[in-house]
């Protein structure tokens, strides 16, 4: 059964917690996230970058996800992260994913709104919900985006535009960035609160890796309902694999199954604390 991302977010919004949205890139990271969500009794959003969706292939990614989802007893939605590519969007709509992020942040305002409205129409016809990004969130996520602010608008204008295009949830600039922070970011939880004052649309926080528990809590208190985490997952996957491979080299024991198990364990451990901090643990 397909879960609606919006319903998960509305429940979170109503009860003052946020649903973790974890980027996965293969079967190992997908299983790790699902196992961790089941252990935490938490709803979860599994997301794939456009590049990952293209390299795994949308039909296979869909089957893998549905298989894992049917094995766990927690609500899990499948979401396409940052996608400017209408061909990939058409594929996930056809495959019946829960939702997608149409990334129009490199377009000027009028183009962004026109194209977002077209994507919403196509997606909603297939029962797929749309996250909207028309301001750009700083940092490149798997080949999509920019390291500097290219487009920024007022909260009022964004809310009006989102209503006009009929989007389901919003990814505005909140001072965070994708990837690792070099210094402390200038966070804007008050901006999230302003969105919540003006509208009922769930607000999404990108760039979760590297924020403190206190920073997460201030965003959740301001009404953020979905928090994205990617880099922390990639790091735990790669670092645990490196440690395993070093041992394999030292001992001359080359066992791929052990490598995958070590990576799955490491990713499940890396994501576990987020369910607690976001307050989603025990909600499913
Ligand atoms: P991080 O890579 O900083 O965790 O950000 C993830 C994200 O926002 C994915 O859209």
């Amino acid at each position: 059964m397909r879960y609606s991302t919006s319903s998960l977010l509305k429940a979170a919004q109503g009860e003052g917690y946020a649903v973790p949205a974890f980027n996965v890139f293969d079967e190992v990271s997908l299983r790790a996230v699902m196992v961790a969500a089941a252990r935490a009794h938490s709803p979860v959003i599994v997301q794939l970058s456009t590049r990952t969706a293209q390299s795994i292939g949308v039909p296979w990614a869909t089957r893998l996800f549905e298989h894992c989802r049917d094995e766990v007893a927690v609500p899990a939605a499948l979401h396409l992260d940052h996608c400017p590519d209408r061909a990939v969007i058409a594929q996930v709509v056809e495959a019946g994913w829960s939702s997608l992020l149409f990334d129009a942040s490199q377009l000027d305002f009028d183009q962004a709104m026109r194209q977002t409205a077209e994507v919403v129409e196509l997606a909603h016809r297939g029962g797929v919900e749309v996250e909207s990004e028309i301001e750009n969130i700083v940092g490149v996520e798997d080949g999509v985006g920019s390291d500097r602010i290219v487009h920024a608008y007022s909260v009022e204008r964004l809310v009006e535009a989102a209503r006009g295009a009929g989007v389901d949830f919003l990814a505005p600039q909140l001072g965070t960035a994708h990837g690792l922070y070099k210094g402390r970011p200038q966070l804007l939880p008050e901006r999230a609160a302003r969105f919540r004052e003006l509208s009922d649309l769930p607000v999404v926080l990108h760039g979760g890796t590297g924020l403190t528990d206190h920073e997460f809590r201030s965003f959740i208190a301001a009404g953020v309902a979905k928090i994205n985490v990617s880099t922390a997952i990639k790091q735990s996957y790669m670092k645990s694999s490196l440690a395993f491979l070093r041992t394999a080299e030292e001992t001359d024991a080359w066992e791929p199954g052990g490598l995958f198990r070590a990576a799955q364990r490491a990713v499940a451990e890396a994501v576990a604390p987020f369910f607690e901090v976001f307050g989603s643990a025990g909600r499913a």
Side-chain angles (χ1 to χ4, degrees):
M1 152 192 159
R2 167 163 69 177
Y3 286 93
S4 143
T5 306
S6 283
S7 331
L8 301 185
L9 300 185
K10 293 271 182 191
Q13 200 162 276
E15 290 176 42
Y17 64 94
V19 182
F22 295 124
N23 287 64
V24 304
F25 32 86
D26 65 358
E27 184 186 337
V28 171
S29 49
L30 168 62
R31 281 185 188 279
V33 161
M34 297 297 256
V35 164
R39 276 187 200 138
H41 302 283
S42 170
V44 70
I45 297 163
V46 169
Q47 31 188 58
L48 272 66
S49 71
T50 300
R51 196 183 270 170
T52 299
Q54 284 171 313
S55 73
I56 299 183
V58 169
W60 183 229
T62 310
R63 289 188 66 177
L64 269 178
F65 170 78
E66 287 176 350
H67 177 81
C68 290
R69 179 200 59 200
D70 294 345
E71 279 186 334
V72 297
V74 294
L78 181 59
H79 177 81
L80 177 68
D81 199 20
H82 296 281
C83 188
D85 184 332
R86 303 277 288 268
V88 181
I89 286 174
Q91 285 179 49
V92 306
V93 171
E94 170 77 28
W97 290 26
S98 299
S99 51
L100 60 91
L101 165 51
F102 179 53
D103 189 329
S105 62
Q106 300 302 310
L107 304 173
D108 68 39
F109 187 83
D110 290 343
Q111 271 288 336
M113 288 329 303
R114 193 178 55 73
Q115 291 203 27
T116 301
E118 287 169 8
V119 167
V120 167
E121 206 201 314
L122 170 89
H124 283 183
R125 254 190 277 131
V128 179
E129 295 155 350
V130 178
E131 177 178 340
S132 165
E133 180 183 347
I134 62 170
E135 292 186 306
N136 71 301
I137 291 155
V138 174
V140 180
E141 178 66 33
D142 221 3
V144 180
S146 164
D147 278 327
R148 54 182 192 87
I149 292 182
V150 206
H151 291 117
Y153 307 105
S154 70
V155 173
E156 289 73 12
R157 193 165 185 210
L158 285 169
V159 167
E160 196 188 311
R163 283 207 189 104
V167 306
D168 302 286
F169 35 106
L170 278 178
Q173 282 163 8
L174 295 173
T176 54
H178 297 124
L180 296 175
Y181 294 102
K182 290 178 190 87
R184 289 319 298 157
Q186 283 287 321
L187 300 177
L188 304 170
E190 63 288 351
R191 194 165 196 250
R194 182 75 186 130
F195 278 101
R196 298 291 301 110
E197 272 166 33
L198 294 183
S199 141
D200 223 25
L201 285 176
V203 175
V204 181
L205 180 71
H206 283 247
T209 302
L211 299 186
T212 65
D213 292 359
H214 176 74
E215 288 166 342
F216 281 129
R217 289 198 184 101
S218 68
F219 276 114
I220 295 164
V224 158
K226 170 177 183 271
I227 303 182
N228 291 4
V229 177
S230 173
T231 302
I233 297 178
K234 290 182 186 164
Q235 285 198 326
S236 62
Y237 189 112
M238 297 299 285
K239 287 182 181 178
S240 64
S241 300
L242 181 62
F244 185 92
L245 289 170
R246 284 203 169 119
T247 308
E249 189 171 44
E250 275 160 29
T251 55
D252 200 22
W254 301 101
E255 177 46 61
L259 173 67
F260 301 141
R261 281 190 295 278
Q264 182 173 321
R265 212 166 32 244
V267 172
E269 277 167 20
V271 299
F274 293 108
F275 299 105
E276 302 298 328
V277 178
F278 297 176
S280 65
R283 307 280 182 169

